[in-house]
Amino acid sequence: MLQKVRESMKGTFVATIVFLFFIVPLILTGVDGGSFLGSAVGTDAASVEGKAISNAELRRAIYMRKQRLLDQQGVDPNAEYLKDENLRGPVLESLTRRAALIVSAEKGGMGVSEQALDQQIRERPEFQLDGKFDAQTYRRLLSNLAFTPASYKAALSEDIILGQHAQAIELSTFSTEEELNDLVSLIHQKRSFFTIKVPKTLVEKDVKVSDDEINTYYEENKNTFVEDESLSVSYVELSAANIAQTIDIDPQAVKQQYEAELADFKKTQQYEIAHILLEEKDGQQALVDEVSQKIKDGDDFAELVSKYSDDSGSKDSGGNLGVMIADTFPEAFENAVYSLEEGQVSAPVVTEAGTHFIKVIAKKVTEPPTFDERKEAIADAMKLAEAEEIYAQNLDRLGELTFSAADLADAAKELNLEVKTTEPFSRNRGTDIAINSNVRDAAYSEEVLSNGYNSSVLEISNTASVVLRKAVHKPERIKGLDEVKEVVTQNLTNKKIDEALSEISSNLKDKLVAGESAEQLAKADEYEYKAFDKSERSSSEAGFQAVNKAFSMSLAEGSASYDHVVDRDGGHIVLGLTEIIPGHRSDMKDQQFQGLTAQLNGQNANFETSSYESQVVAEADIDIH
């Protein structure tokens, strides 16, 4: 929550948000403003302190939220929560919250100069052509999102204001010495305690469960043994990938395609380079001559870099600049590299930075793949291309053959398909083709489920479609006792074991409170006793359950505290907490303490930001239309 609040205030500049989540997807996918913005005319979606939130702005924000969710792995694009009507509420709430913060900041006198806004816009690479701001590109991209230059400037100004305000809160936050000491005391606290382990095997051999107990438990807990509704379907799948496996390609055609690729292949050269940079200074030419002579004499290049180079960024790595990317270095520099072979060093090369001596550490020339390396991929591509044509031709035929048919057999026979059957799946979850929500919706439709008809042709990818028919439907039901008797018996057994162990543990705690020795009590009944002195939270010696319980207990002054916990194997552990030792700064390294201070400052800033936002939003006059 706190992180979300900070992000909502601090964010990034509108320009970054717009281009990452709006314009870039639009450019790449060809979506224009009309596909999701609709008309900007009409009633505003909301107003905050008189500041309007337009329907166009709301639709933009919904589109952005949807795209961000779709970018996450494994998201079903047809999921209910991705529908516009379900996104509208949370997105509008976010917009009104943002608007309230903007109004508050503006009332506080915050603003952005026209000069700063213009500079931001001119420097955006999306608005540039050949490295320079292009007004036509700027207006065209804004138009795609129903922005005018004026409305975009206003949005950019608002986001800069929010960023400045959030930064002001963050920079004004601090932590007191008392807060830091309390935190260190808690984090590095140590505890001394003992454990007495009462094993599960001590009582489980004596536990018996009767048939009457089983019947009673089942009747009282029937609703926990519900088997969800499930459905399996028979289906035929028409796919270009499957068709491709049946196609044979003429080897001569593969050879011809390879030769066409070879004719278009362009060799590229990759250079890993290093350099010595001599910046302009008095006596420059004498220094250039000195280095030139040492290179001619065969002196070690890395040693010359260490002694002479003025490039601090590469000096400690032998002058290494990595692999040269074309058009990132001055033209004279790159031309010199292209003239060198591996291991050679250039003559002096003058650029605005100074004089360079450039060495090619490694030179790699990309060669075209051989026919043997490419023939399989070419053949596969040719098969798939032909298969896609056959797929398109057979798609309509699949619909004709399955429409009103009594089964899927005839369609499968004519189109050389196999009738398959899915594993059972629910309305909301499935595997294989039933992972697709459109498939599940069709399977559970009245047409297929109730009437027993074949489904229409369902596209599950660009080159694959299926037709379904109900196979086995199982309505939701309560499982019979015979089906769950083993589970019921085990539940009752575990419950009786836990009750018996709890009684033993309680008796032990009573004796400990009365002053009896823990070690003697354990020894008398042959329980396992262990003592842990000044144990840390991260200690694994006592086991997670015991340590977690020990650090959650309180300790009365001058006396021990007792409790018990269930171990991971089902046994009980009786604990006695005997000492709490507060942590101290001396337990931490300086670097750790500095990191803890920064972390606490960040948390305080989050709390302050959250408090500020809550107050602003609570006091704002928000009107949802």
Side-chain angles (χ1 to χ4, degrees), residues 48-110:
V48 180
E49 294 288 329
K51 178 181 177 62
I53 298 174
S54 69
N55 281 311
E57 184 179 356
L58 175 59
R59 282 188 282 268
R60 274 196 298 267
I62 290 173
Y63 177 80
M64 181 182 78
R65 178 74 64 87
K66 185 182 296 186
Q67 293 306 309
R68 292 173 68 179
L69 291 170
L70 287 172
D71 284 342
Q72 298 175 12
Q73 189 174 6
V75 172
D76 181 356
N78 299 303
E80 282 292 319
Y81 69 88
L82 286 177
K83 292 183 177 178
D84 286 3
E85 59 267 29
N86 294 328
L87 288 172
R88 188 181 192 278
V91 170
L92 185 56
E93 180 185 357
S94 177
L95 289 176
T96 55
R97 184 172 64 246
R98 182 178 187 275
L101 296 171
I102 291 169
V103 170
S104 176
E106 289 175 342
K107 285 181 178 180
M110 301 191 74

Side-chain angles (χ1 to χ4, degrees), residues 255-310:
K255 184 70 173 177
Q256 290 174 352
Q257 177 61 30
Y258 171 76
E259 290 172 352
E261 290 183 2
L262 198 61
D264 292 336
F265 183 84
K266 294 181 179 179
K267 291 186 177 182
T268 58
Q269 295 178 334
Q270 190 179 76
Y271 297 85
E272 182 182 354
I273 58 174
H275 79 145
I276 299 169
L277 172 64
L278 305 179
E279 294 178 347
E280 289 296 329
K281 57 178 76 73
D282 292 340
Q284 174 80 352
Q285 189 56 51
L287 191 59
V288 170
D289 292 342
E290 181 180 338
V291 173
S292 295
Q293 187 59 49
K294 288 183 178 295
I295 290 173
K296 289 179 182 178
D297 293 342
D299 286 19
D300 183 76
F301 191 81
E303 291 181 3
L304 295 177
V305 169
S306 180
K307 182 177 180 179
Y308 292 101
S309 183
D310 294 319

Side-chain angles (χ1 to χ4, degrees), residues 345-566:
V345 180
S346 71
V349 177
V350 179
T351 71
E352 290 183 1
T355 301
H356 307 262
F357 293 89
I358 309 163
K359 180 177 181 178
V360 173
I361 299 172
K363 177 180 178 181
K364 181 180 179 181
V365 180
T366 57
E367 297 291 343
T370 65
F371 177 67
D372 285 341
E373 292 171 336
R374 280 289 296 155
K375 64 181 180 182
E376 186 174 344
I378 292 174
D380 288 344
M382 295 177 74
K383 287 178 182 180
L384 186 58
E386 186 175 333
E388 287 176 354
E389 293 182 8
I390 298 172
Y391 169 81
Q393 295 167 6
N394 288 350
L395 194 57
D396 288 339
R397 185 59 180 154
L398 176 62
E400 294 170 0
L401 291 169
T402 55
F403 182 75
S404 298
D407 55 32
L408 301 173
D410 290 342
K413 183 177 180 180
E414 178 165 332
L415 298 176
N416 194 27
L417 304 176
E418 179 184 355
V419 179
K420 300 178 181 179
T421 303
T422 67
E423 292 294 322
F425 56 89
S426 70
R427 294 177 182 267
N428 301 316
R429 187 176 294 106
T431 58
D432 197 24
I433 65 166
I435 198 171
N436 187 304
S437 63
N438 290 333
V439 170
R440 297 195 305 271
D441 290 345
Y444 276 95
S445 69
E446 182 178 0
E447 178 187 41
V448 175
L449 180 61
S450 302
N451 299 334
Y453 300 150
N454 294 333
S455 73
S456 58
V457 177
L458 304 171
E459 188 176 17
I460 58 175
S461 74
N462 290 335
T463 55
S465 298
V466 296
V467 176
L468 319 173
R469 186 178 184 86
K470 180 177 71 175
V472 178
H473 175 234
K474 292 183 179 180
E476 180 182 278
R477 70 182 184 93
I478 296 176
K479 296 178 182 179
L481 177 57
D482 290 343
E483 297 175 87
V484 299
K485 188 173 182 178
E486 185 177 341
V487 174
V488 171
T489 302
Q490 189 60 58
N491 288 347
L492 287 170
T493 300
N494 290 340
K495 182 180 179 183
K496 288 190 173 188
I497 289 172
D498 187 67
E499 289 171 349
L501 292 175
S502 293
E503 184 176 352
I504 295 173
S505 297
S506 295
N507 290 335
L508 282 171
K509 285 188 289 182
D510 290 343
K511 292 177 180 180
L512 290 168
V513 170
E516 295 190 43
S517 165
E519 194 166 3
Q520 291 299 321
L521 286 172
K523 185 176 182 181
D525 290 309
E526 297 184 350
Y527 302 143
E528 181 183 275
Y529 170 86
K530 286 186 178 181
F532 302 93
D533 185 44
K534 297 181 177 58
S535 180
E536 298 181 349
R537 291 177 187 273
S538 58
S539 173
S540 59
E541 186 180 1
F544 170 78
Q545 289 82 3
V547 171
N548 194 44
K549 172 59 73 173
F551 275 88
S552 68
M553 295 167 63
S554 59
L555 180 64
E557 186 175 349
S559 64
S561 296
Y562 307 101
D563 205 340
H564 77 276
V565 66
V566 179

Side-chain angles (χ1 to χ4, degrees), residues 324-331 334 338:
M324 185 178 77
I325 300 174
D327 300 324
T328 58
F329 292 89
E331 183 178 358
E334 293 189 1
Y338 295 143

Side-chain angles (χ1 to χ4, degrees), residues 153-169:
K153 255 190 179 183
L156 178 58
S157 173
E158 290 173 354
D159 223 46
I160 293 174
I161 289 171
L162 285 182
Q164 291 171 342
H165 202 281
Q167 188 177 33
I169 294 176

